[in-house]
Amino acid sequence: MHQIQLLVREGCHLCHAARATVAEVTGRLNMEFSELDIDQHPELLAKHHEEVPVLLIDGAVRDFWHIDAQRLERLLRS
């Protein structure tokens, strides 16, 4: 099972779309994901402040800004 984490920020319109995409794909695959607000973590904010939302799979950055549902599904099935 993959560890899936979505890094977001308060008031981020792209984050809302990413959340919906990740929820739809993970729900269809019977997987779960966690969400982390980078504003609460200075080290993540410094690293990703211009890239949110950021999708991490098993700790590796796999996508940012726009999360592609088909690509995400392929990654999670591998």
Side-chain angles (χ1 to χ4, degrees):
M1 185 70 83
H2 292 287
Q3 180 185 17
I4 307 156
Q5 188 171 47
L6 186 62
L7 305 181
V8 298
R9 294 188 79 185
E10 182 78 25
C12 167
H13 70 282
L14 293 176
C15 297
H16 294 293
R19 182 181 297 114
T21 299
V22 174
E24 188 271 322
V25 172
T26 57
R28 190 171 57 243
L29 298 176
N30 199 27
M31 296 180 172
E32 295 182 4
F33 75 99
S34 64
E35 205 172 287
L36 186 65
D37 183 341
I38 67 169
D39 289 324
Q40 307 302 315
H41 301 273
E43 69 285 353
L44 292 174
L45 181 59
K47 186 174 182 179
H48 298 292
H49 71 282
E50 293 184 6
E51 298 175 336
V52 292
V54 177
L55 178 67
L56 301 167
I57 299 176
D58 300 327
V61 174
R62 299 308 302 217
D63 229 338
F64 60 94
W65 291 332
H66 298 282
I67 309 302
D68 180 85
Q70 291 176 340
R71 181 172 188 270
L72 175 56
E73 187 163 344
R74 279 194 314 271
L75 290 168
L76 295 177
R77 288 187 183 276
S78 64

